[in-house]
Amino acid sequence: MEYSPIQVRNTNEITHGFKDFTSQHTPEHSLHNPSNYQSTHSRHSHDQESAVSDSESFSSGVSYDQFQSFNDGMTRLFEGDRVHDLIKQRLVSGLGLLGKKATVVAIHRNTYSGVLQQARVQSFQITAKAMEKKCGGDVNLKFGWYGGTRDEICEIMKHGFSARMIDSSCRLYGSGIYLSPDNSPVECVKKLNVGKDGLRHMILCRVILGKAEVVHPGSDQYHPSSDEFDSGMDNLSSPKKYIVWSAHMNTHILPEYVISFRAPSNLKGYFRTPESTRTPTSPWMPFPSLISALSKFLPPTTTKLIIKHYRDHRAKKISRQELIQQVRKIIGDKLLISVIKSFRTKMLVTSSNLEKKQWFKKEPVLE
């Protein structure tokens, strides 16, 4: 999904929310960067809260009084609010099958009311302005999901991201903060823990990506590979992860909304799609041969990661199916199918040539 560049006219100005729909061609449920949009939530939040009676209850069965609200520097949005409904729709639609079972319990907006919070917003705006100059006007501003426990969410909203949050990630794509694109919250949701109240929590952040580079699984990268790049992605054409390097985590990421939702505790089976269960359907290929073939296309760190998973399989630490899923996740089906097909073609050619040689060696049969 494309976003227009952020426009920072005044670093003392705190803007938030989504841009008004300005074109009939704009998708109804698309999230947009707030170029000139001035949020009216602060003006209406008090009226909204007053309009909610004490007896109001969520469809999940949790009443407003029972829900532990994010009160410190946060204001709650309600059903009917344009931004609330847009975020809710975006999350539910992005969860696929799970979206039908998920219930959004509450959405809170960061008010940036404290002095330090305002300073972080100004830092974000200054960074966006600098990135706009560096990238020729294209800040590449996106929205991304970040998940955590309630305590982690509160810590981020109050103090920003910390090194501990980098350590808690698997560092599969280097040292940084990983966010899921706003249209693909699945990867983020998979890693969420369910709280005692049965809820999961995510932050919808504004992210300055600038010019992104591909970061391969197994990378030990912790900063841009050159001055040309500013951030990382697992896939430039269809990213599932935005990688913001640790040095940029509190200047290139602006936590804006907290979404609390209820979903089944066991998510197994909800993220399978017909395409993923059917592919790849290519002929069988020995894993040692597969690894050897893939090493010609992949960086050494990624090849080592695949070898590690293969050794875990040999040691019976993971099943063959888990090994296949890991390989598919690392390299993608497109390259995997291509390599297997190439291997199969070579095998058929070799077999055909062998049969021809054996045929010519046969002595003629005399009748």
Short mmCIF file of all heavy atoms in Angstrom, two decimals, residues 14 73 111-119:
data_model
loop_
_atom_site.label_atom_id
_atom_site.label_comp_id
_atom_site.label_asym_id
_atom_site.label_seq_id
_atom_site.Cartn_x
_atom_site.Cartn_y
_atom_site.Cartn_z
N ILE A 14 2.09 19.03 16.63
CA ILE A 14 1.92 17.60 16.83
C ILE A 14 0.71 17.14 16.04
O ILE A 14 -0.41 17.56 16.30
CB ILE A 14 1.72 17.26 18.32
CG1 ILE A 14 2.95 17.71 19.13
CG2 ILE A 14 1.47 15.78 18.52
CD1 ILE A 14 2.81 17.50 20.60
N GLY A 73 -1.45 9.17 29.49
CA GLY A 73 -1.12 9.79 28.22
C GLY A 73 -1.86 9.21 27.03
O GLY A 73 -1.47 9.45 25.88
N THR A 111 -1.67 10.69 23.16
CA THR A 111 -1.94 12.13 23.12
C THR A 111 -0.66 12.96 23.11
O THR A 111 -0.72 14.17 22.87
CB THR A 111 -2.77 12.56 24.35
OG1 THR A 111 -2.04 12.26 25.54
CG2 THR A 111 -4.11 11.82 24.37
N TYR A 112 0.49 12.32 23.38
CA TYR A 112 1.77 13.03 23.43
C TYR A 112 1.66 14.24 24.36
O TYR A 112 2.13 15.34 24.04
CB TYR A 112 2.21 13.48 22.03
CG TYR A 112 2.15 12.38 21.00
CD1 TYR A 112 1.22 12.43 19.96
CD2 TYR A 112 3.02 11.30 21.05
CE1 TYR A 112 1.16 11.42 19.01
CE2 TYR A 112 2.96 10.29 20.11
CZ TYR A 112 2.04 10.35 19.09
OH TYR A 112 1.97 9.35 18.16
N SER A 113 1.05 14.05 25.51
CA SER A 113 0.75 15.17 26.40
C SER A 113 1.95 15.60 27.24
O SER A 113 2.04 16.76 27.66
CB SER A 113 -0.42 14.80 27.32
OG SER A 113 -0.12 13.60 28.03
N GLY A 114 2.88 14.68 27.50
CA GLY A 114 4.04 15.03 28.32
C GLY A 114 5.10 15.77 27.53
O GLY A 114 5.15 15.72 26.30
N VAL A 115 5.98 16.44 28.25
CA VAL A 115 7.05 17.22 27.61
C VAL A 115 7.98 16.31 26.82
O VAL A 115 8.35 16.61 25.68
CB VAL A 115 7.86 17.99 28.68
CG1 VAL A 115 9.05 18.69 28.04
CG2 VAL A 115 6.97 19.00 29.39
N LEU A 116 8.36 15.17 27.39
CA LEU A 116 9.26 14.25 26.71
C LEU A 116 8.58 13.60 25.51
O LEU A 116 9.21 13.35 24.48
CB LEU A 116 9.77 13.18 27.68
CG LEU A 116 10.67 13.68 28.81
CD1 LEU A 116 11.10 12.53 29.71
CD2 LEU A 116 11.90 14.39 28.24
N GLN A 117 7.28 13.31 25.65
CA GLN A 117 6.53 12.74 24.53
C GLN A 117 6.47 13.73 23.36
O GLN A 117 6.62 13.36 22.19
CB GLN A 117 5.11 12.34 24.96
CG GLN A 117 5.03 11.07 25.80
CD GLN A 117 5.41 11.29 27.24
OE1 GLN A 117 5.60 12.43 27.67
NE2 GLN A 117 5.52 10.22 28.00
N GLN A 118 6.27 14.99 23.67
CA GLN A 118 6.25 16.02 22.63
C GLN A 118 7.62 16.14 21.97
O GLN A 118 7.72 16.34 20.76
CB GLN A 118 5.83 17.36 23.23
CG GLN A 118 4.37 17.41 23.67
CD GLN A 118 3.98 18.76 24.22
OE1 GLN A 118 4.61 19.77 23.88
NE2 GLN A 118 2.96 18.80 25.06
N ALA A 119 8.67 15.98 22.77
CA ALA A 119 10.03 16.05 22.22
C ALA A 119 10.27 14.90 21.25
O ALA A 119 10.93 15.08 20.22
CB ALA A 119 11.05 16.01 23.35
#
